Amino acid sequence: MSKSAKWIICIWCFLYAVILVIALKYEAGVPIGDLGSINLHALNNAFRGLFGYDRAGGYFRSLYIFTEILGAISILACLFWMALGVKDIIKYRDINDVDKSIFATFLLYVLALIVWRVVLGLSVSYAPVSVHPASALVVSFPCGNTFLIIVSMCSSIYLIGYFLEEKKKLVLALRIVCTAILVLGVVLRTVSGVNWLADILAAIGFAVPAVILYSFICDV
């Protein structure tokens, strides 16, 4: 993909994510060109209406637990890559000698964490259900689980090829695993019922630009 195409995707994803924030925060419609606008609250409710959440206690617990496991795997992947950076610092005792891709990955994770925390702090919307009956409502916009999985698996897909370039079969196998975690994590979290559809869309909208910026640094 050309850099110009990446920039277009990056900018539009970010703009639509910001529009989602504004629309939900101030209960406005999202513009969709000549078709007018769409009410996100109505869209969220309509999407939930497609599944039998009421019969399942408000959400699909098995899918929720599975996505949490995928999220935990994603965290471990992030920690692994960061551990490689720490190893370089200990070995060379100079941050300038840290591998460029690992340093770029560290910047990606910091940027992603900052963006997620800032948007989460706006308290745009609350989760449709509580996974713990005794707990209070929690802010669910953007979906942290989806955001984490996208950032972690996309960076892992690149780094696996970077560090294991000569082991093509192993690279292919590991990338298939990462892709499966990425796709399953996003899809299953979307239908699990613990987040609104807008929460997932916002997570994608904010994660994709971060990953694209990361690709520029790593020359992907």
Side-chain angles (χ1 to χ4, degrees):
M1 184 183 296
S2 66
K3 284 191 175 182
S4 59
K6 287 183 178 181
W7 273 117
I8 291 173
I9 295 173
C10 178
I11 293 171
W12 278 107
C13 281
F14 182 76
L15 286 178
Y16 274 109
V18 171
I19 289 174
L20 286 175
V21 173
I22 297 172
L24 285 171
K25 188 70 176 178
Y26 299 101
E27 299 186 355
V30 174
I32 50 174
D34 296 334
L35 299 178
S37 63
I38 185 171
N39 185 293
L40 283 178
H41 295 291
L43 177 63
N44 282 332
N45 288 322
F47 183 79
R48 282 188 65 80
L50 297 175
F51 305 92
Y53 295 124
D54 292 338
R55 296 190 300 273
Y59 69 102
F60 299 140
R61 183 171 177 79
S62 58
L63 294 185
Y64 163 72
I65 293 175
F66 187 64
T67 57
E68 288 293 289
I69 293 173
L70 295 181
I73 293 173
S74 298
I75 291 176
L76 290 176
C78 292
L79 293 176
F80 174 77
W81 300 124
M82 291 302 91
L84 292 183
V86 172
K87 186 188 75 171
D88 280 356
I89 293 176
I90 295 174
K91 180 178 180 180
Y92 301 110
R93 298 182 181 181
D94 188 347
I95 194 171
N96 294 318
D97 292 326
V98 175
D99 186 278
K100 184 188 74 170
S101 292
I102 289 295
F103 186 70
T105 303
F106 173 76
L107 294 179
L108 168 66
Y109 296 162
V110 171
L111 173 64
L113 182 61
I114 291 174
V115 170
W116 176 69
R117 286 301 306 173
V118 168
V119 179
L120 195 70
L122 297 176
S123 300
V124 174
S125 68
Y126 294 86
V129 295
S130 175
V131 296
H132 304 292
S135 64
L137 290 176
V138 296
V139 178
S140 61
F141 183 101
C143 175
N145 180 271
T146 299
F147 192 87
L148 166 66
I149 289 175
I150 293 174
V151 170
S152 175
M153 290 301 105
C154 285
S155 58
S156 294
I157 287 172
Y158 164 70
L159 291 171
I160 286 169
Y162 177 74
F163 285 106
L164 302 173
E165 185 177 2
E166 297 180 355
K167 301 179 180 180
K168 297 188 181 302
K169 291 185 178 179
L170 179 59
V171 168
L172 177 61
L174 292 175
R175 282 181 166 175
I176 289 175
V177 172
C178 289
T179 302
I181 292 175
L182 175 60
V183 174
L184 286 175
V186 175
V187 173
L188 296 183
R189 191 69 173 199
T190 303
V191 301
S192 67
V194 296
N195 289 92
W196 297 108
L197 177 61
D199 300 340
I200 306 297
L201 295 177
I204 296 172
F206 283 115
V208 168
V211 171
I212 290 177
L213 292 176
Y214 170 72
S215 74
F216 289 145
I217 300 176
C218 294
D219 297 323
V220 179

